[in-house]
């Protein structure tokens, strides 16, 4: 296919998706409240909500045993409630063919480095959560800046002609960096900033609220193609220190991740989240670092990338977990113009 055809094709798909979006949003995200489910009244609903399940989608993915404990209801009742939530949220099976069709609409955002793109099978995918974890200064946020700009590029330049949402939990979003990257890609810097909606989260509860607001934003702006959460765990880690509250924390993180995954799936959006690593004093061999929130995110994120500093100021990305791509590594660098392939000199 010629480039023009590809573009036209994708535009058509986008138009179709956008049409679908308007209907979907009503069907999926604006249905009734938890309290309207059969067998749930306002009392049980408020207990379910305080257990961290704010809406029917998140309830649909809940473990019934958690509800038994949190709401003081019997196991059969809990199972019935979760099943009702599943029905109401339209979490149905689809045929392999339908699934293949849906996969065909997957699009990719360029990372700015060809080597990195190849590692990811072409770039950061829509309909998936991509998690980048690594130590401070490894480039997790820089990658987010790059994606938030690159998503705005036309398709033939590695973008999706789209807009971005950015949830900032650490106060590290820098408009000037966006402007700098946009200018170097030939975009209007102010327009590029205009195309990114930023929400600053001050607490983990606030972060949950912001994520729950995203469906509304997507509805208002169907061009949204990227959601960034930088960083996913910082607030949760700071607030939930004692082990006693760990289960509570994981549940909330789970709710956030599942909401993001649903959005990614339904609206063909790429989700990029960052995560710090924590020292693992118990690991004597191998890499003594592990992503915060470890296994909870690991099970949800489709692609996991471990970033580290390499030789001569370069960065190394390692693909740790992916459904169909081989594990591997790619080197790149962070320049004033953004993420780029290493020059020949540095490859040595
Ligand atoms: P943290 O865990 O602290 O949030 P991070 O992984 O998000 O860390 P980044 O902020 O993405 O780290 O990376 C910071 C690094 O990016 C800097 O140390 C520097 O090497 C590089 N960097 C940032 N801005 C520029 C620039 N304008 N030109 C060149 N390199 C830059
Ligand atoms: Mg950062």
């Amino acid at each position: 296919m010629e480039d023009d055809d590809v573009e036209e094709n994708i535009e058509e798909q986008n138009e179709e998706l956008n049409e679908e979006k308007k209907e979907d949003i009503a069907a999926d995200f604006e249905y009734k409240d938890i309290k309207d489910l059969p067998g749930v009244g306002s009392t049980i609903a408020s207990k379910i909500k305080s257990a961290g399940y704010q809406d029917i989608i998140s309830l649909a993915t809940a473990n019934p045993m958690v509800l038994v404990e949190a709401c003081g209801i019997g196991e059969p009742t809990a199972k019935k409630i979760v099943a009702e939530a599943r029905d109401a949220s339209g979490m149905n099976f689809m045929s392999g063919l339908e699934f293949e069709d849906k996969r065909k609409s997957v699009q990719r955002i360029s990372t700015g480095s060809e080597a990195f793109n190849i590692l990811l099978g072409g770039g950061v995918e829509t309909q998936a959560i991509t998690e980048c974890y690594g130590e401070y200064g490894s480039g997790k946020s820089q990658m987010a800046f790059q994606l938030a700009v690159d998503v705005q590029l036309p398709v033939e330049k590695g973008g999706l002609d789209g807009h971005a949402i950015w949830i900032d939990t650490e106060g590290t979003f820098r408009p000037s960096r966006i402007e700098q990257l946009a200018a170097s890609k030939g975009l209007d810097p102010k327009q590029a900033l205009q195309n990114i909606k930023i929400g600053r989260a001050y607490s983990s509860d606030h972060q949950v609220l912001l994520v729950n607001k995203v469906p509304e934003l997507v509805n208002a702006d169907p061009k949204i193609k990227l959601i960034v959460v930088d960083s996913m765990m910082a607030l949760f880690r700071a607030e939930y220190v004692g082990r006693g509250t760990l289960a509570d924390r994981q549940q909330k993180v789970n709710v956030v991740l599942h909401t993001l995954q649903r959005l990614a799936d339904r609206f063909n959006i790429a989700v990029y989240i960052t995560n710090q690593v924590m020292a693992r004093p118990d690991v004597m061999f191998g890499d003594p670092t592990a992503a915060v929130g470890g296994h909870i995110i690991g099970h949800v994120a489709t692609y996991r990338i471990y970033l580290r500093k390499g030789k001569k100021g370069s960065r190394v990305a390692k693909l740790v977990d992916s459904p169909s791509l081989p594990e591997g590594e790619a080197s790149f660098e962070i320049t004033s113009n953004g993420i780029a392939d290493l020059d020949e000199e540095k490859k040595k």
Side-chain angles (χ1 to χ4, degrees):
M1 254 195 284
E2 296 291 322
D3 273 1
D4 281 358
D5 290 346
V6 172
E7 206 180 324
E8 215 170 87
N9 205 357
I10 287 176
E11 233 163 62
E12 256 170 40
Q13 278 179 6
N14 272 342
E15 262 165 38
E16 269 171 35
L17 275 166
N18 290 345
E19 277 310 305
E20 226 176 76
K21 259 181 204 181
K22 290 184 197 110
E23 291 163 21
D24 276 351
I25 214 104
D28 254 10
F29 289 96
E30 282 175 16
Y31 42 56
K32 357 176 229 182
D33 189 84
I34 288 176
K35 74 174 182 334
D36 303 322
L37 289 173
V40 183
S42 38
T43 317
I44 293 184
S46 71
K47 284 183 184 163
I48 291 175
K49 286 182 186 176
S50 50
Y53 301 101
Q54 296 297 328
D55 55 26
I56 294 181
I57 300 174
S58 53
L59 184 59
T61 61
N63 176 347
M65 293 317 289
V66 174
L67 293 189
V68 170
E69 221 164 276
C71 309
I73 50 176
E75 195 181 327
T77 312
K79 281 188 174 156
K80 188 162 179 299
I81 291 173
V82 173
E84 291 287 355
R86 261 180 214 163
D87 270 1
S89 65
M91 285 196 174
N92 293 321
F93 283 96
M94 58 172 97
S95 74
L97 268 181
E98 284 169 323
F99 190 82
E100 187 185 41
D101 240 20
K102 184 161 170 289
R103 282 289 308 168
K104 275 189 199 145
S105 60
V106 167
Q107 295 173 284
R108 290 179 181 82
I109 307 169
S110 169
T111 61
S113 150
E114 202 44 45
F116 202 164
N117 287 347
I118 290 169
L119 181 73
L120 294 175
V124 171
E125 265 189 23
T126 59
Q127 298 179 29
I129 297 181
T130 299
E131 178 200 359
C132 226
Y133 67 99
E135 66 176 30
Y136 71 93
S138 55
K140 308 179 292 291
S141 298
Q142 288 303 316
M143 180 59 73
F145 285 114
Q146 191 70 61
L147 292 171
V149 169
D150 285 2
V151 72
Q152 303 187 35
L153 294 170
V155 173
E156 71 272 13
K157 292 199 172 148
L160 301 177
D161 193 17
H163 297 167
I165 290 176
W166 185 302
I167 296 175
D168 178 8
T169 71
E170 298 182 309
T172 51
F173 179 80
R174 292 289 174 274
S176 58
R177 186 62 172 148
I178 293 290
E179 290 185 323
Q180 193 180 21
L181 297 181
S184 95
K185 296 274 174 165
L187 293 172
D188 172 19
K190 295 292 176 210
Q191 187 58 48
L193 270 180
Q194 183 66 32
N195 292 342
I196 306 172
K197 289 261 176 314
I198 299 120
R200 170 82 163 98
Y202 294 96
S203 69
S204 62
D205 281 338
H206 192 193
Q207 186 177 342
V208 172
L209 283 177
L210 286 176
V211 169
N212 287 339
K213 275 278 233 206
V214 172
E216 219 175 278
L217 295 182
V218 171
N219 196 27
D221 179 4
K223 283 188 95 173
I224 288 169
K225 284 279 153 195
L226 171 73
I227 302 168
V228 168
V229 185
D230 183 28
S231 88
M232 179 66 211
M233 294 298 293
L235 295 167
F236 285 96
R237 175 154 79 156
E239 288 167 32
Y240 292 81
V241 273
R243 279 205 78 80
T245 54
L246 216 54
D248 186 26
R249 171 180 102 171
Q250 299 197 346
Q251 219 172 78
K252 281 197 186 165
V253 173
N254 236 337
V255 170
V256 169
L257 290 170
H258 277 110
T259 304
L260 291 171
Q261 182 64 58
R262 290 281 293 161
L263 283 163
D265 276 345
R266 293 307 247 158
F267 305 123
N268 204 21
I269 288 172
V271 175
Y272 172 80
I273 64 178
T274 69
N275 199 355
Q276 296 127 321
V277 291
M278 58 182 172
R280 288 270 309 275
D282 53 323
V283 175
M284 305 254 268
F285 303 100
D287 189 350
T289 56
V292 175
H295 63 284
I296 345 169
I297 296 190
H299 288 159
V300 179
T302 320
Y303 295 95
R304 304 193 89 196
I305 299 155
Y306 176 51
L307 275 192
R308 65 174 196 273
K309 293 176 184 163
K311 281 185 283 186
K312 300 182 196 167
S314 68
R315 298 294 192 281
V316 183
K318 179 177 182 185
L319 187 62
V320 177
D321 200 0
S322 131
S324 57
L325 297 170
E327 287 198 358
E329 290 193 342
S331 296
F332 62 92
E333 66 182 332
I334 306 169
T335 72
S336 56
N337 286 337
I339 286 172
D341 279 320
L342 289 183
D343 55 39
E344 290 307 317
E345 199 41 43
K346 287 191 179 143
K347 278 187 188 160
K348 288 172 196 159

